[in-house]
Amino acid sequence: LRSVGIVYAEMEREGFLVAVVGVNVEYKAAAKYDEVVEVTARVVELQSRMMKLSYEMKRASDGTVLALGETKHLFVSRE
């Protein structure tokens, strides 16, 4: 979020929260207990009241994609 100028702590101080309104996950391969995984998150859409993030989870040792995902968020007032 910081890469597009959004600092979540500042939003909260100003009375705004980010509500998750949608989640999609596609599992590709299994991760085993105690494996190191890398998660990359990207802002793929940003509007005045909504944003979408995409996620990619990979096994650190060999780069195998374990899961792909997307979340949709709404900016809402704390009131």
Side-chain angles (χ1 to χ4, degrees), residues 1 5 34 38 47 51 53 58 61 65:
L1 294 176
D34 208 30
E38 298 172 349
Q47 298 177 12
M51 73 176 163
L53 302 174
K58 291 182 177 181
S61 63
V65 175

Side-chain angles (χ1 to χ4, degrees), residues 2-68:
R2 289 180 190 271
S3 68
V4 293
I6 298 172
V7 179
Y8 191 77
E10 281 181 28
M11 286 179 47
E12 282 190 335
R13 281 192 296 274
E14 293 175 13
F16 294 96
L17 302 172
V18 179
V20 178
V21 296
V23 176
N24 182 40
V25 179
E26 183 179 348
Y27 297 101
K28 301 286 192 177
K32 296 186 173 109
Y33 180 76
D34 208 30
E35 279 189 312
V36 176
V37 298
E38 298 172 349
V39 179
T40 303
R42 292 184 178 87
V43 177
V44 294
E45 187 176 344
L46 183 60
Q47 298 177 12
S48 62
R49 304 236 346 125
M50 184 274 298
M51 73 176 163
K52 285 185 184 177
L53 302 174
S54 69
Y55 305 89
E56 181 180 65
M57 188 172 85
K58 291 182 177 181
R59 185 177 295 116
S61 63
D62 63 7
T64 298
V65 175
L66 303 174
L68 300 173

